[in-house]
């Protein structure tokens, strides 16, 4: 496999070709990891699909109407098994592709940045999994609310593809949302994003969060969008607070000679 070490010219810059080759290599590594994880998803498909459609089964037992999942096409069961397996692979391989994302964002991976990269993965993986778990816990409530509008005496046969797209997208959206503070704090640690810039740009940040939530939530109602956007906004301001603490620590440990104007001689 090609090396991921970035080649630089004497001035420390990289060519566009080097950037594209590294991007290709990191995407390849991530894809291989996801495919390996998908193998386990394929093996345990029946257990996974059973958990995903469990909210429908529970509603079917409690309600008078007919509520169930429906495989409309002949190839739907096979296509859905592939989709669910890849979804499981995405979660299982999250440590790998999260590290690859951060490794591409941080240029060069110096000694300090390698430490930050490890800390990033250590913090990002539990948060991503926590977001997925939080969404998985909330799926039954969301399904119950949405299907409660079914008129009495009627049937609600959910298309398998549409239902699983709803559930899987819901889970992945929350997992990605919980990664927001980790990216922001990591970029602050390497000096790319100061806390004051984060605080100053809170309005466009909130707008971007709302747009992200609107795109990622599978239903067109505003409630689901706000349900995803609200924790993201709270996590954003929490990461701003953490970034201010790191910036204050950097200021306390900064040498005095760095504040000397260019036209004056320092004590060194």
């Amino acid at each position: 496999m090609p090396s991921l070490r970035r080649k630089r010219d004497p001035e420390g810059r990289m060519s566009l070709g080097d950037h594209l080759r590294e991007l290709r290599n990191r995407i390849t590594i991530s894809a291989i990891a996801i495919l390996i994880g998908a193998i386990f998803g394929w093996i345990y498909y029946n257990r996974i699909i059973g958990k995903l459609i469990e909210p429908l089964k529970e509603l079917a037992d409690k309600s008078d109407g007919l509520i169930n999942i429906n495989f409309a096409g002949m190839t739907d069961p096979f296509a859905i098994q592939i989709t669910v397996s890849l979804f499981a692979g995405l979660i299982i391989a999250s440590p790998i592709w999260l590290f690859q994302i951060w490794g591409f964002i941080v240029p060069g991976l110096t000694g300090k940045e390698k430490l930050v990269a490890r800390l990033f993965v250590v913090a990002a993986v539990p948060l991503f999994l926590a977001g997925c778990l939080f969404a998985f816990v909330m799926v039954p409530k969301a399904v119950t609310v949405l299907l409660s509008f079914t008129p009495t005496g009627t049937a609600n046969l959910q298309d398998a593809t549409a239902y699983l797209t709803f559930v899987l997208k819901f889970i992945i959206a929350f997992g990605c949302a919980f990664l927001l503070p980790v990216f922001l704090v990591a970029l602050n640690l390497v000096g790319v994003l100061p806390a004051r810039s984060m605080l100053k740009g809170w309005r466009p940040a909130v707008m971007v969060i709302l747009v992200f939530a609107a795109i990622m939530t599978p239903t067109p109602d505003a409630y689901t969008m706000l349900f995803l956007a609200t924790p993201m906004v709270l996590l954003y301001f929490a990461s701003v607070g953490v970034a201010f603490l790191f910036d204050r620590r950097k200021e306390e440990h900064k040498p005095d000679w760095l504040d000397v104007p260019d036209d004056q001689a320092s004590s060194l």
Side-chain angles (χ1 to χ4, degrees), residues 164-215:
L164 290 172
T165 299
F166 167 83
V167 174
L168 299 182
K169 197 174 179 181
F170 192 79
I171 294 174
I172 292 297
F174 272 84
C176 294
F178 275 54
L179 290 176
L180 176 65
V182 184
F183 275 100
L184 294 176
V185 173
L187 290 173
N188 173 264
L189 280 174
V190 297
V192 176
L193 190 61
R196 293 188 181 277
S197 299
M198 294 166 60
L199 184 60
K200 187 181 297 183
W202 73 268
R203 291 182 180 85
V206 170
M207 180 61 66
V208 172
I209 288 173
L210 291 173
V211 173
F212 172 82
I215 294 174

Side-chain angles (χ1 to χ4, degrees), residues 55-56 59 67 142-151 156 158 163:
L56 291 179
L59 278 176
I67 298 176
V143 171
T144 301
V145 171
L146 293 173
L147 295 185
S148 64
F149 295 98
T150 304
N156 196 323
Q158 290 291 312
Y163 173 78

Side-chain angles (χ1 to χ4, degrees), residues 40 46 57 59 113 124 168 171 187 240 254:
F40 292 94
N46 289 329
K57 292 182 178 179
L59 278 176
E113 291 164 349
L168 299 182
I171 294 174
L187 290 173
V240 171
K254 186 172 68 173

